[in-house]
Amino acid sequence: MAQAISYIRFSSALQRGGSSTDRQSRMISEWLKAHPDVALSPISASDEGRSGFSGAHLQHGLGQILAAIEDGKIAAGDFILIEAMDRLGRLAPLEMLSLLQRIVGAGVNVVTLEDSQTYSKESLNEKIGDLFILVGKISQAHEYSKNLSRRMKAAYESKRQKAKDGETIKRYTPYWLTSDGKIIEEWKEGIERVVEYYLKGWGPRNIVIELVSKNLIPENTTTQSVRKWLRSKALVGSWDNNGDEIENVVDAVIDRETFYRVQTEIKRREVDHSPRSTFKLSGLIKCKECGSSYYITKKMVKGYPQHSAKCLGREKKGADFCSNNRQLPYVVLLYALDSYLPEQLSQLAYDSSLDEELQKIDGLKSERAAIDTQLNTVLDMLLSMPEQSNLKERFEVLSKVKDEIENKIATLEIALVDRSASVSLDNILTTANDDLDSILSDDIATREALKKTNWRITAFENKFSVNVGAAGVINCEIVKRRAKFNALYVTFTIPGYEIFNESTDEFDKVDTETWWLAFDKNGLIASADSETELENQFEKEEWK
């Protein structure tokens, strides 16, 4: 039984939501009903949004059909169903004839459904008139696409030139702008909050939940939309223009320094593969054996929710990848965080206040990296088209902009050296305390701030160590579960260290210190210098 292979193609992604696919599918169904002796083949393919003029479809759907012909999966006597010959492609006439020869030369028929024509090796050899008509259709389709491409390119170049000349142009814009590039006041606060919350450490999901609930961004906003907005040059008033940026095309929402701080933060998060979560410790617990992040689980025990942390590497890849299968109680880990949080974040806030120029430098470095990308693109084009004077001008402009950025970076870096001598320590401490209050008031901001420090929990089985930065390393072990008191016994140990004594001008030795803690499902319930003292606390009636 002969088989029919349907092939659907359209070049514009906009047609996906229109009638193009439905129309072509309906025509194929009608042809199959009129030919009950032919079965629809599973080899059928489509090329949605792929150009028949550039030949992109030959690497995808149509390419798969051609490969099936060469492999014999589509045999002589089978039919390829297309709406019209231009669906097979809009290549140059000789290329189209060669493509058609590959199909009909193998004995496979091509059916154009719009005019009910069947092209085969025999018909094209015997009916010369049909061949001439076919060549005319192929040539017409190619010329149409070529002229359309020229007109679209000319219109696009005209729009680009108007934008460069400072004229207002109509173009697709994000939700907070009109098509003329003017800010819609109703949405201005929302996009400002998107940027603000992202820089505070919020993820796109939490941003969407928070701002949609307050009607500050559109109700249909997705996390992908937020990510797209954060990368959009429209935030600073520019048209990205495929890497050839044109400034002051639309109203700006934020300044360039803030924009490139956002880009730096995006890149930082791209290399942080922590499991997504709203927990304060998410991404801060690492497996000592495999290096994977821990993830937080919840289960109900006697009607109460209890949270634990488990190695994500072990969970996803199994025991061969990581032998660490122990769960750690979240309340114990959270206590380790909260015990040293003020010290660690105070140092962070102090550093941030003292070295606020570093943020400006990071933003400028991100901007310089973006300029480098544009320079490489223009240089590649210049090498292939050296006669294009506009490319040379563009290269010179970008080089000048890069030099200006380099000078700004150098100036700020020099200023950093002298900053500590020119800034009042009292002012620094005041600003640091304000920053610390802001961070501690928001769990998400706290977590993201800690990720920028060396504060981490490294865990394996029932032991974990906490690198708390300036406070050193704390070694912890879950020693036992005391069913009698419904409690966990945990030891916290600070290894011995030396500290400089200014009065003697020598280092004093500090011995290792261990203390015992007891936790229930809600957190810390008792502490002592030894297990015996801890037991005595539980045995005493007054403890209850």
Side-chain angles (χ1 to χ4, degrees):
M1 187 177 189
Q3 59 178 341
I5 298 87
S6 72
Y7 176 64
I8 295 174
R9 184 192 67 75
F10 50 81
S11 58
S12 172
L14 295 175
Q15 293 174 271
R16 184 179 287 108
S19 61
S20 184
T21 300
D22 291 341
R23 183 183 66 253
Q24 294 181 56
S25 297
R26 185 174 62 253
M27 296 173 77
I28 290 168
S29 297
E30 291 173 354
W31 189 91
L32 288 169
K33 287 180 182 178
H35 298 80
D37 56 333
V38 181
L40 182 63
S41 170
I43 302 177
S44 300
S46 66
D47 280 312
E48 300 182 359
R50 291 197 174 97
S51 171
F53 181 70
S54 67
H57 62 317
L58 297 176
Q59 307 300 321
H60 297 88
L62 185 58
Q64 294 169 11
I65 289 176
L66 294 174
I69 293 174
E70 293 176 359
D71 293 341
K73 295 176 182 177
I74 299 176
D78 289 340
F79 298 84
I80 294 178
L81 309 181
I82 54 177
E83 180 184 27
M85 188 56 66
D86 61 2
R87 297 300 175 190
L88 206 59
R90 294 176 179 267
L91 304 170
L94 285 178
E95 294 179 73
M96 278 299 300
L97 288 174
S98 176
L99 172 61
L100 193 60
Q101 167 61 25
R102 290 176 64 182
I103 299 172
V104 300
V108 179
N109 304 296
V110 175
V111 178
T112 52
L113 300 171
E114 69 170 6
D115 57 5
S116 301
Q117 290 292 316
T118 300
Y119 298 95
S120 65
K121 184 177 181 179
E122 293 75 16
S123 68
L124 291 175
N125 279 330
E126 295 174 2
K127 300 178 181 179
I128 301 300
D130 288 352
L131 180 59
F132 286 140
I133 293 173
L134 178 61
V135 170
K137 289 182 177 180
I138 290 172
S139 180
Q140 184 182 36
H142 178 70
E143 284 300 315
Y144 172 82
S145 288
K146 187 164 64 174
N147 291 332
L148 180 63
S149 176
R150 287 171 180 163
R151 290 198 298 271
M152 290 180 65
K153 184 176 180 180
Y156 190 76
E157 287 298 326
S158 175
K159 182 183 289 188
R160 280 173 40 137
Q161 191 57 52
K162 287 180 179 179
K164 289 180 178 179
D165 293 341
E167 295 184 38
T168 300
I169 59 170
K170 289 185 179 292
R171 55 180 298 275
Y172 174 79
T173 53
Y175 83 96
W176 65 87
L177 296 171
T178 67
S179 61
D180 292 330
K182 303 300 181 183
I183 288 181
I184 302 172
E185 289 300 321
E186 175 189 359
W187 298 119
K188 182 181 179 182
E189 181 183 355
I191 188 59
E192 290 174 342
R193 292 290 175 270
V194 168
V195 174
E196 175 190 340
Y197 290 165
Y198 190 78
L199 287 175
K200 286 180 66 175
W202 290 45
R205 180 174 178 274
N206 289 324
I207 290 174
V208 170
I209 293 172
E210 174 73 10
L211 298 184
V212 167
S213 69
K214 294 181 177 179
N215 298 317
L216 291 175
I217 59 176
E219 187 176 356
N220 62 350
T221 298
T222 64
T223 56
Q224 190 60 37
S225 297
V226 171
R227 293 187 182 94
K228 186 176 181 180
W229 298 341
L230 291 168
R231 287 184 170 89
S232 174
K233 287 288 184 68
L235 287 171
V236 291
S238 294
W239 176 15
D240 186 69
N241 191 27
N242 296 322
D244 186 13
E245 181 183 354
I246 303 175
E247 298 180 9
N248 303 317
V249 176
V250 299
D251 288 348
V253 177
I254 58 176
D255 57 38
R256 285 189 168 271
E257 178 185 330
T258 303
F259 178 79
Y260 284 106
R261 282 176 57 204
V262 171
Q263 305 318 300
T264 300
E265 180 66 9
I266 289 173
K267 290 181 180 178
R268 186 188 71 80
R269 296 193 195 184
E270 284 175 348
V271 299
D272 186 353
H273 302 294
S274 304
R276 293 180 183 176
S277 176
T278 57
F279 289 99
K280 189 188 289 189
L281 281 172
S282 294
L284 294 173
I285 314 169
K286 301 293 182 181
C287 176
K288 186 176 182 179
E289 180 175 328
C290 70
S292 300
S293 293
Y294 272 56
Y295 70 103
I296 314 303
T297 65
K298 181 179 77 171
K299 66 177 180 179
M300 301 300 292
V301 178
K302 296 181 180 181
Y304 294 96
Q306 292 191 10
H307 295 90
S308 300
K310 297 176 66 176
C311 174
L312 187 61
R314 166 64 185 244
E315 185 72 12
K316 285 190 171 183
K317 300 181 181 180
D320 290 340
F321 177 77
C322 180
S323 64
N324 185 10
N325 65 347
R326 185 72 176 264
Q327 298 184 42
L328 293 176
Y330 188 72
V331 290
V332 177
L333 298 168
L334 192 59
Y335 175 84
L337 164 67
D338 289 339
S339 296
Y340 296 95
L341 191 57
E343 293 92 334
Q344 183 63 25
L345 289 182
S346 292
Q347 183 65 45
L348 178 68
Y350 178 86
D351 291 343
S352 175
S353 301
L354 182 62
D355 299 332
E356 62 183 26
E357 279 90 350
L358 286 173
Q359 292 184 350
K360 296 179 181 179
I361 292 174
D362 285 342
L364 287 169
K365 286 181 177 179
S366 292
E367 187 174 0
R368 181 179 61 187
I371 295 293
D372 281 336
T373 300
Q374 294 181 51
L375 279 169
N376 289 333
T377 300
V378 174
L379 183 59
D380 288 341
M381 296 172 65
L382 194 56
L383 290 173
S384 60
M385 296 179 290
E387 72 283 354
Q388 296 292 322
S389 59
N390 62 321
L391 291 176
K392 295 178 183 177
E393 293 173 2
R394 181 61 181 161
F395 189 85
E396 290 173 358
V397 169
L398 288 172
S399 297
K400 183 178 180 181
V401 171
K402 183 180 177 180
D403 288 341
E404 292 173 352
I405 293 172
E406 294 278 12
N407 289 333
K408 290 179 181 178
I409 292 173
T411 301
L412 287 171
E413 287 178 338
I414 292 171
L416 277 176
V417 177
D418 301 323
R419 180 168 169 75
S420 58
S422 61
V423 178
S424 165
L425 184 59
D426 289 338
N427 290 339
I428 292 173
L429 293 176
T430 299
T431 305
N433 286 326
D434 291 342
D435 289 345
L436 180 60
D437 289 340
S438 175
I439 294 171
L440 290 174
S441 66
D442 187 331
D443 279 356
I444 296 175
T446 298
R447 183 183 66 211
E448 294 304 315
L450 285 171
K451 286 182 180 180
K452 297 174 183 178
T453 73
N454 59 355
W455 194 99
R456 291 293 184 276
I457 292 178
T458 304
F460 182 75
E461 296 293 350
N462 64 326
K463 298 180 180 180
F464 62 94
S465 61
V466 189
N467 182 351
V468 291
V473 176
I474 310 299
N475 296 318
C476 311
E477 181 178 1
I478 298 174
V479 180
K480 64 171 74 172
R481 178 179 293 278
R482 290 290 274 128
K484 179 179 179 181
F485 307 118
N486 193 27
L488 281 176
Y489 284 5
V490 183
T491 59
F492 276 54
T493 301
I494 301 178
Y497 60 95
E498 292 184 339
I499 186 170
F500 185 71
N501 188 329
E502 292 185 0
S503 62
T504 63
D505 202 26
E506 294 180 353
F507 284 92
D508 294 336
K509 185 176 181 181
V510 179
D511 294 331
T512 298
E513 182 182 3
T514 298
W515 66 99
W516 288 68
L517 307 175
F519 294 83
D520 68 3
K521 64 179 182 296
N522 295 316
L524 180 70
I525 55 176
S527 63
D529 292 333
S530 67
E531 182 180 5
T532 301
E533 289 184 17
L534 195 62
E535 290 277 338
N536 289 338
Q537 287 189 43
F538 279 105
E539 294 291 352
K540 289 180 180 179
E541 198 67 29
E542 60 265 25
W543 176 84
K544 294 183 180 179

PDB file of all heavy atoms in Angstrom, residues 346-368:
ATOM      1  N   SER A 346      27.386  41.732  59.308  1.00  0.00           N
ATOM      2  CA  SER A 346      27.961  43.022  59.689  1.00  0.00           C
ATOM      3  C   SER A 346      29.224  43.290  58.886  1.00  0.00           C
ATOM      4  O   SER A 346      29.459  44.404  58.416  1.00  0.00           O
ATOM      5  CB  SER A 346      28.294  43.036  61.191  1.00  0.00           C
ATOM      6  OG  SER A 346      27.121  42.994  61.961  1.00  0.00           O
ATOM      7  N   GLN A 347      30.030  42.257  58.719  1.00  0.00           N
ATOM      8  CA  GLN A 347      31.242  42.412  57.921  1.00  0.00           C
ATOM      9  C   GLN A 347      30.887  42.723  56.471  1.00  0.00           C
ATOM     10  O   GLN A 347      31.504  43.584  55.834  1.00  0.00           O
ATOM     11  CB  GLN A 347      32.085  41.134  57.989  1.00  0.00           C
ATOM     12  CG  GLN A 347      33.408  41.210  57.239  1.00  0.00           C
ATOM     13  CD  GLN A 347      34.345  42.234  57.850  1.00  0.00           C
ATOM     14  OE1 GLN A 347      34.489  42.287  59.054  1.00  0.00           O
ATOM     15  NE2 GLN A 347      34.966  43.057  57.017  1.00  0.00           N
ATOM     16  N   LEU A 348      29.853  42.020  55.961  1.00  0.00           N
ATOM     17  CA  LEU A 348      29.416  42.261  54.585  1.00  0.00           C
ATOM     18  C   LEU A 348      28.906  43.688  54.418  1.00  0.00           C
ATOM     19  O   LEU A 348      29.248  44.377  53.459  1.00  0.00           O
ATOM     20  CB  LEU A 348      28.321  41.264  54.194  1.00  0.00           C
ATOM     21  CG  LEU A 348      27.730  41.422  52.798  1.00  0.00           C
ATOM     22  CD1 LEU A 348      28.750  41.068  51.731  1.00  0.00           C
ATOM     23  CD2 LEU A 348      26.486  40.561  52.637  1.00  0.00           C
ATOM     24  N   ALA A 349      28.066  44.136  55.376  1.00  0.00           N
ATOM     25  CA  ALA A 349      27.514  45.486  55.294  1.00  0.00           C
ATOM     26  C   ALA A 349      28.622  46.524  55.413  1.00  0.00           C
ATOM     27  O   ALA A 349      28.600  47.559  54.745  1.00  0.00           O
ATOM     28  CB  ALA A 349      26.469  45.687  56.396  1.00  0.00           C
ATOM     29  N   TYR A 350      29.596  46.264  56.294  1.00  0.00           N
ATOM     30  CA  TYR A 350      30.726  47.187  56.455  1.00  0.00           C
ATOM     31  C   TYR A 350      31.510  47.292  55.152  1.00  0.00           C
ATOM     32  O   TYR A 350      31.836  48.385  54.677  1.00  0.00           O
ATOM     33  CB  TYR A 350      31.627  46.689  57.581  1.00  0.00           C
ATOM     34  CG  TYR A 350      32.855  47.553  57.813  1.00  0.00           C
ATOM     35  CD1 TYR A 350      32.798  48.664  58.647  1.00  0.00           C
ATOM     36  CD2 TYR A 350      34.058  47.250  57.192  1.00  0.00           C
ATOM     37  CE1 TYR A 350      33.910  49.456  58.863  1.00  0.00           C
ATOM     38  CE2 TYR A 350      35.178  48.039  57.398  1.00  0.00           C
ATOM     39  CZ  TYR A 350      35.100  49.139  58.230  1.00  0.00           C
ATOM     40  OH  TYR A 350      36.202  49.919  58.433  1.00  0.00           O
ATOM     41  N   ASP A 351      31.827  46.127  54.568  1.00  0.00           N
ATOM     42  CA  ASP A 351      32.566  46.119  53.301  1.00  0.00           C
ATOM     43  C   ASP A 351      31.789  46.851  52.216  1.00  0.00           C
ATOM     44  O   ASP A 351      32.358  47.587  51.416  1.00  0.00           O
ATOM     45  CB  ASP A 351      32.849  44.681  52.860  1.00  0.00           C
ATOM     46  CG  ASP A 351      33.852  44.000  53.781  1.00  0.00           C
ATOM     47  OD1 ASP A 351      34.536  44.702  54.524  1.00  0.00           O
ATOM     48  OD2 ASP A 351      33.911  42.755  53.751  1.00  0.00           O
ATOM     49  N   SER A 352      30.458  46.617  52.191  1.00  0.00           N
ATOM     50  CA  SER A 352      29.620  47.245  51.160  1.00  0.00           C
ATOM     51  C   SER A 352      29.630  48.758  51.311  1.00  0.00           C
ATOM     52  O   SER A 352      29.709  49.487  50.325  1.00  0.00           O
ATOM     53  CB  SER A 352      28.190  46.710  51.264  1.00  0.00           C
ATOM     54  OG  SER A 352      27.348  47.373  50.364  1.00  0.00           O
ATOM     55  N   SER A 353      29.565  49.235  52.555  1.00  0.00           N
ATOM     56  CA  SER A 353      29.553  50.674  52.791  1.00  0.00           C
ATOM     57  C   SER A 353      30.896  51.304  52.452  1.00  0.00           C
ATOM     58  O   SER A 353      30.965  52.397  51.903  1.00  0.00           O
ATOM     59  CB  SER A 353      29.210  50.954  54.263  1.00  0.00           C
ATOM     60  OG  SER A 353      27.959  50.416  54.588  1.00  0.00           O
ATOM     61  N   LEU A 354      31.975  50.620  52.825  1.00  0.00           N
ATOM     62  CA  LEU A 354      33.302  51.152  52.575  1.00  0.00           C
ATOM     63  C   LEU A 354      33.635  51.165  51.092  1.00  0.00           C
ATOM     64  O   LEU A 354      34.268  52.077  50.578  1.00  0.00           O
ATOM     65  CB  LEU A 354      34.340  50.327  53.339  1.00  0.00           C
ATOM     66  CG  LEU A 354      35.801  50.777  53.220  1.00  0.00           C
ATOM     67  CD1 LEU A 354      35.975  52.176  53.785  1.00  0.00           C
ATOM     68  CD2 LEU A 354      36.712  49.787  53.925  1.00  0.00           C
ATOM     69  N   ASP A 355      33.196  50.118  50.395  1.00  0.00           N
ATOM     70  CA  ASP A 355      33.619  49.934  49.003  1.00  0.00           C
ATOM     71  C   ASP A 355      32.445  50.011  48.023  1.00  0.00           C
ATOM     72  O   ASP A 355      32.316  49.188  47.116  1.00  0.00           O
ATOM     73  CB  ASP A 355      34.319  48.581  48.849  1.00  0.00           C
ATOM     74  CG  ASP A 355      35.564  48.472  49.699  1.00  0.00           C
ATOM     75  OD1 ASP A 355      36.170  49.518  49.974  1.00  0.00           O
ATOM     76  OD2 ASP A 355      35.902  47.357  50.095  1.00  0.00           O
ATOM     77  N   GLU A 356      31.551  50.992  48.212  1.00  0.00           N
ATOM     78  CA  GLU A 356      30.391  51.073  47.327  1.00  0.00           C
ATOM     79  C   GLU A 356      30.791  51.322  45.877  1.00  0.00           C
ATOM     80  O   GLU A 356      30.051  51.010  44.948  1.00  0.00           O
ATOM     81  CB  GLU A 356      29.434  52.155  47.811  1.00  0.00           C
ATOM     82  CG  GLU A 356      30.039  53.559  47.800  1.00  0.00           C
ATOM     83  CD  GLU A 356      29.084  54.594  48.366  1.00  0.00           C
ATOM     84  OE1 GLU A 356      28.226  54.212  49.172  1.00  0.00           O
ATOM     85  OE2 GLU A 356      29.199  55.762  47.983  1.00  0.00           O
ATOM     86  N   GLU A 357      31.999  51.853  45.669  1.00  0.00           N
ATOM     87  CA  GLU A 357      32.467  52.059  44.296  1.00  0.00           C
ATOM     88  C   GLU A 357      32.632  50.733  43.549  1.00  0.00           C
ATOM     89  O   GLU A 357      32.615  50.697  42.316  1.00  0.00           O
ATOM     90  CB  GLU A 357      33.805  52.811  44.296  1.00  0.00           C
ATOM     91  CG  GLU A 357      33.678  54.314  44.454  1.00  0.00           C
ATOM     92  CD  GLU A 357      33.711  54.696  45.921  1.00  0.00           C
ATOM     93  OE1 GLU A 357      33.634  53.778  46.750  1.00  0.00           O
ATOM     94  OE2 GLU A 357      33.812  55.884  46.244  1.00  0.00           O
ATOM     95  N   LEU A 358      32.819  49.635  44.323  1.00  0.00           N
ATOM     96  CA  LEU A 358      32.990  48.333  43.673  1.00  0.00           C
ATOM     97  C   LEU A 358      31.770  47.978  42.827  1.00  0.00           C
ATOM     98  O   LEU A 358      31.899  47.344  41.777  1.00  0.00           O
ATOM     99  CB  LEU A 358      33.243  47.239  44.715  1.00  0.00           C
ATOM    100  CG  LEU A 358      34.637  47.247  45.360  1.00  0.00           C
ATOM    101  CD1 LEU A 358      34.707  46.233  46.482  1.00  0.00           C
ATOM    102  CD2 LEU A 358      35.695  46.944  44.296  1.00  0.00           C
ATOM    103  N   GLN A 359      30.576  48.360  43.297  1.00  0.00           N
ATOM    104  CA  GLN A 359      29.371  48.089  42.515  1.00  0.00           C
ATOM    105  C   GLN A 359      29.410  48.855  41.193  1.00  0.00           C
ATOM    106  O   GLN A 359      29.022  48.327  40.146  1.00  0.00           O
ATOM    107  CB  GLN A 359      28.127  48.472  43.307  1.00  0.00           C
ATOM    108  CG  GLN A 359      27.879  47.579  44.527  1.00  0.00           C
ATOM    109  CD  GLN A 359      26.577  47.929  45.218  1.00  0.00           C
ATOM    110  OE1 GLN A 359      25.943  48.936  44.913  1.00  0.00           O
ATOM    111  NE2 GLN A 359      26.177  47.090  46.157  1.00  0.00           N
ATOM    112  N   LYS A 360      29.886  50.107  41.261  1.00  0.00           N
ATOM    113  CA  LYS A 360      29.987  50.886  40.037  1.00  0.00           C
ATOM    114  C   LYS A 360      31.011  50.251  39.092  1.00  0.00           C
ATOM    115  O   LYS A 360      30.792  50.178  37.880  1.00  0.00           O
ATOM    116  CB  LYS A 360      30.399  52.317  40.355  1.00  0.00           C
ATOM    117  CG  LYS A 360      29.394  53.091  41.188  1.00  0.00           C
ATOM    118  CD  LYS A 360      29.890  54.499  41.474  1.00  0.00           C
ATOM    119  CE  LYS A 360      28.896  55.278  42.327  1.00  0.00           C
ATOM    120  NZ  LYS A 360      29.372  56.645  42.636  1.00  0.00           N
ATOM    121  N   ILE A 361      32.110  49.776  39.673  1.00  0.00           N
ATOM    122  CA  ILE A 361      33.149  49.146  38.852  1.00  0.00           C
ATOM    123  C   ILE A 361      32.620  47.873  38.202  1.00  0.00           C
ATOM    124  O   ILE A 361      32.852  47.617  37.016  1.00  0.00           O
ATOM    125  CB  ILE A 361      34.396  48.846  39.703  1.00  0.00           C
ATOM    126  CG1 ILE A 361      35.066  50.161  40.132  1.00  0.00           C
ATOM    127  CG2 ILE A 361      35.393  47.983  38.931  1.00  0.00           C
ATOM    128  CD1 ILE A 361      36.216  49.988  41.098  1.00  0.00           C
ATOM    129  N   ASP A 362      31.887  47.057  38.968  1.00  0.00           N
ATOM    130  CA  ASP A 362      31.314  45.830  38.411  1.00  0.00           C
ATOM    131  C   ASP A 362      30.362  46.145  37.268  1.00  0.00           C
ATOM    132  O   ASP A 362      30.354  45.458  36.235  1.00  0.00           O
ATOM    133  CB  ASP A 362      30.567  45.046  39.496  1.00  0.00           C
ATOM    134  CG  ASP A 362      31.513  44.341  40.455  1.00  0.00           C
ATOM    135  OD1 ASP A 362      32.696  44.180  40.094  1.00  0.00           O
ATOM    136  OD2 ASP A 362      31.077  43.963  41.556  1.00  0.00           O
ATOM    137  N   GLY A 363      29.535  47.190  37.462  1.00  0.00           N
ATOM    138  CA  GLY A 363      28.609  47.577  36.398  1.00  0.00           C
ATOM    139  C   GLY A 363      29.337  48.032  35.149  1.00  0.00           C
ATOM    140  O   GLY A 363      28.962  47.657  34.031  1.00  0.00           O
ATOM    141  N   LEU A 364      30.403  48.803  35.331  1.00  0.00           N
ATOM    142  CA  LEU A 364      31.191  49.271  34.184  1.00  0.00           C
ATOM    143  C   LEU A 364      31.882  48.115  33.478  1.00  0.00           C
ATOM    144  O   LEU A 364      32.000  48.099  32.246  1.00  0.00           O
ATOM    145  CB  LEU A 364      32.222  50.303  34.651  1.00  0.00           C
ATOM    146  CG  LEU A 364      31.667  51.687  35.031  1.00  0.00           C
ATOM    147  CD1 LEU A 364      32.730  52.517  35.716  1.00  0.00           C
ATOM    148  CD2 LEU A 364      31.134  52.405  33.790  1.00  0.00           C
ATOM    149  N   LYS A 365      32.342  47.134  34.255  1.00  0.00           N
ATOM    150  CA  LYS A 365      32.990  45.973  33.642  1.00  0.00           C
ATOM    151  C   LYS A 365      31.997  45.156  32.827  1.00  0.00           C
ATOM    152  O   LYS A 365      32.345  44.619  31.762  1.00  0.00           O
ATOM    153  CB  LYS A 365      33.648  45.116  34.716  1.00  0.00           C
ATOM    154  CG  LYS A 365      34.921  45.728  35.290  1.00  0.00           C
ATOM    155  CD  LYS A 365      35.557  44.835  36.347  1.00  0.00           C
ATOM    156  CE  LYS A 365      36.862  45.446  36.858  1.00  0.00           C
ATOM    157  NZ  LYS A 365      37.491  44.606  37.915  1.00  0.00           N
ATOM    158  N   SER A 366      30.759  45.053  33.309  1.00  0.00           N
ATOM    159  CA  SER A 366      29.722  44.370  32.525  1.00  0.00           C
ATOM    160  C   SER A 366      29.422  45.128  31.241  1.00  0.00           C
ATOM    161  O   SER A 366      29.244  44.540  30.173  1.00  0.00           O
ATOM    162  CB  SER A 366      28.441  44.230  33.355  1.00  0.00           C
ATOM    163  OG  SER A 366      28.614  43.344  34.417  1.00  0.00           O
ATOM    164  N   GLU A 367      29.386  46.460  31.352  1.00  0.00           N
ATOM    165  CA  GLU A 367      29.150  47.288  30.161  1.00  0.00           C
ATOM    166  C   GLU A 367      30.303  47.124  29.174  1.00  0.00           C
ATOM    167  O   GLU A 367      30.093  47.044  27.958  1.00  0.00           O
ATOM    168  CB  GLU A 367      28.995  48.748  30.562  1.00  0.00           C
ATOM    169  CG  GLU A 367      28.592  49.658  29.417  1.00  0.00           C
ATOM    170  CD  GLU A 367      28.299  51.073  29.857  1.00  0.00           C
ATOM    171  OE1 GLU A 367      28.414  51.367  31.065  1.00  0.00           O
ATOM    172  OE2 GLU A 367      27.951  51.898  28.992  1.00  0.00           O
ATOM    173  N   ARG A 368      31.536  47.062  29.699  1.00  0.00           N
ATOM    174  CA  ARG A 368      32.700  46.863  28.830  1.00  0.00           C
ATOM    175  C   ARG A 368      32.623  45.522  28.112  1.00  0.00           C
ATOM    176  O   ARG A 368      32.947  45.417  26.918  1.00  0.00           O
ATOM    177  CB  ARG A 368      33.984  46.928  29.667  1.00  0.00           C
ATOM    178  CG  ARG A 368      35.257  46.757  28.851  1.00  0.00           C
ATOM    179  CD  ARG A 368      36.490  46.867  29.734  1.00  0.00           C
ATOM    180  NE  ARG A 368      36.510  45.842  30.760  1.00  0.00           N
ATOM    181  CZ  ARG A 368      37.401  45.786  31.752  1.00  0.00           C
ATOM    182  NH1 ARG A 368      38.324  46.740  31.863  1.00  0.00           N
ATOM    183  NH2 ARG A 368      37.358  44.817  32.636  1.00  0.00           N
TER     184      ARG A 368
END
